[in-house]
Amino acid sequence: MKTIATLPKSSSGLLVLTSWVLIFMELCTVFSGGEAAHAVKRFTGLYTGPYFDPSTTTNITTQLGTHAYLPCKVKQLGNKSVSWIRRRDAHILTVDRFTFIADDRFQAFLVESTDTWTLQVKYVQARDAGQYECQVSTEPKMSHFITLNVVVPKIEIMGESDIYVKTGSPVTLKCIITQSLEEPAYIFWYHDGERMLENYLAISEIRMERVRADTTIGTLQIHHARPEDSGNYTCSPSNLDSASVLLHVLNGEHPAAMQRGKNSASPIPGWSHLSMGLGLGACTSPRFAFAIALSVAAIAELLVT
Ligand SMILES: *[C@@H]1O[C@H](CO)[C@@H](O)[C@H](O)[C@H]1NC(C)=O
Ligand SMILES: *[C@@H]1O[C@H](CO)[C@@H](O)[C@H](O)[C@H]1NC(C)=O
Ligand SMILES: *[C@@H]1O[C@H](CO)[C@@H](O)[C@H](O)[C@H]1NC(C)=O
């Protein structure tokens, strides 16, 4: 008798649970940007004419000064044209293979094997960042949008811009390059404009290491600083601006002002991870709240039966 009485109760509990889960899924879709909803829309129905391959990326990130490639994958294009338009000023950049802007950094080409019309942007500048539209000349027109992000690498030598040391002490200069998608091929060090070569290597050591996917550290170590090692030290990576510090090797024994000069902030490792974490939080927190709500509902259900 008891089991029969509980059955409808637990099935109503199941109903409550199911609706909670549905509400949660709805919310999570809203919070995660609705990208999935777009893809689904493009998929519906059979295609008699051109259609965008839903796997085409919508977000390209490239480093300042490099070449960017914006793909537009169109299936069953037939004899339709593909144009690339810059959204910022609605400027038509290309139509098929022809460039319609007085800037020869822009060029479109077709890779037939993958049905992809790619817009190439050479030597990307900061102002190239923004949205680009790949438009197919159907009636009505079809558009696919791609966002181009341009990252600008940052370079600095850790610590003060003026460094004071006593004769004979070791000196370590760390040149930190962040937000660089492309690792520099090399880092040159200059002492008062003169490249530090073999003559310097006898008294020092130069290293370069990639510490993270976007971070490189160049290290210059002088084992025993001499007064003539004083001067301007410049760290100059192959693909970037340079950074400099002034080294003062003191002869006397009381370097009074050891800590002068600008108090430059050193980059904080893991900062970008933190911001990514916050983005995910939009989905995580409602999930957490609903998990709690569900457990409470389930416990209440148990208590009632
Ligand atoms: C696009 O990519 C960049 C860098 O990877 C990222 O910061 C940004 O949030 C992405 N945007 C979207 C809409 O996914
Ligand atoms: C494209 O092809 C269709 C038939 O497949 C034809 O009717 C139409 O005139 C063509 N358009 C152009 C611009 O050539
Ligand atoms: C150090 O040298 C670099 C490169 O020659 C120069 O740009 C910079 O202004 C110099 N810094 C100082 C403080 O003299």
Side-chain angles (χ1 to χ4, degrees):
M1 217 51 212
K2 196 173 174 249
T3 15
I4 293 164
T6 2
L7 252 170
K9 202 141 220 171
S10 51
S11 67
S12 83
L14 202 71
L15 210 71
V16 169
L17 256 150
T18 314
S19 47
W20 277 115
V21 167
L22 282 176
I23 290 167
F24 158 66
M25 281 166 70
E26 196 69 33
L27 267 178
C28 212
T29 314
V30 170
F31 276 109
S32 53
E35 191 66 37
H38 269 150
V40 170
K41 234 179 248 161
R42 283 195 224 109
F43 257 139
T44 51
L46 282 171
Y47 299 106
T48 50
Y51 65 97
F52 293 113
D53 186 320
S55 72
T56 308
T57 179
T58 56
N59 194 14
I60 296 277
T61 302
T62 194
Q63 180 168 325
L64 187 79
T66 63
H67 299 349
Y69 298 90
L70 280 56
C72 182
K73 214 167 178 176
V74 192
K75 301 285 190 190
Q76 298 177 186
L77 184 60
N79 58 6
K80 297 288 185 264
S81 294
V82 173
S83 310
W84 277 99
I85 298 155
R86 181 167 63 197
R87 279 210 103 186
R88 163 160 60 87
D89 52 3
H91 202 304
I92 296 174
L93 305 172
T94 62
V95 176
D96 294 335
R97 281 189 179 78
F98 304 100
T99 300
F100 279 81
I101 184 169
D103 183 341
D104 57 11
R105 296 181 307 120
F106 293 94
Q107 200 186 345
F109 57 87
L110 170 68
V111 176
E112 282 185 47
S113 57
T114 58
D115 299 313
T116 306
W117 274 99
T118 297
L119 177 69
Q120 180 189 41
V121 187
K122 289 188 190 164
Y123 311 108
V124 167
Q125 300 166 7
R127 64 185 166 88
D128 293 328
Q131 269 203 327
Y132 291 80
E133 176 181 353
C134 167
Q135 196 183 78
V136 177
S137 65
T138 45
E139 199 52 59
K141 297 195 184 321
M142 293 165 44
S143 296
H144 174 76
F145 295 95
I146 295 194
T147 305
L148 175 64
N149 305 286
V150 180
V151 296
V152 183
K154 297 197 172 6
I155 175 168
E156 70 169 347
I157 296 178
M158 223 166 99
E160 314 289 325
S161 62
D162 281 83
I163 297 168
Y164 298 85
V165 298
K166 279 196 262 186
T167 299
S169 26
V171 176
T172 302
L173 300 182
K174 277 192 188 298
C175 180
I176 301 184
I177 300 155
T178 49
Q179 297 183 40
S180 76
L181 303 178
E182 298 203 351
E183 183 175 9
Y186 54 80
I187 296 177
F188 286 162
W189 286 89
Y190 294 87
H191 176 210
D192 287 335
E194 189 189 339
R195 171 115 181 261
M196 298 185 71
L197 293 167
E198 289 76 21
N199 53 328
Y200 283 100
L201 293 180
I203 58 149
S204 63
E205 200 179 309
I206 292 173
R207 287 194 307 273
M208 179 174 110
E209 75 184 304
R210 189 78 165 165
V211 293
R212 275 221 319 260
D214 67 347
T215 307
T216 299
I217 298 185
T219 307
L220 167 66
Q221 237 171 343
I222 299 171
H223 302 311
H224 306 285
R226 306 160 304 174
E228 60 265 37
D229 293 328
S230 295
N232 180 345
Y233 283 81
T234 301
C235 156
S236 181
S238 57
N239 55 349
L240 285 182
D241 290 344
S242 54
S244 300
V245 289
L246 283 178
L247 177 67
H248 308 269
V249 182
L250 304 171
N251 238 333
E253 55 289 329
H254 55 85
M258 278 275 200
Q259 299 294 321
R260 251 182 42 206
K262 96 171 161 146
N263 202 354
S264 74
S266 57
I268 304 158
W271 189 87
S272 56
H273 292 303
L274 184 69
S275 57
M276 272 167 65
L278 288 174
L280 282 176
C283 199
T284 318
S285 56
R287 174 177 295 182
F288 185 60
F290 278 99
I292 288 175
L294 279 176
S295 337
V296 168
I299 289 166
E301 201 65 32
L302 274 176
L303 289 178
V304 168
T305 43

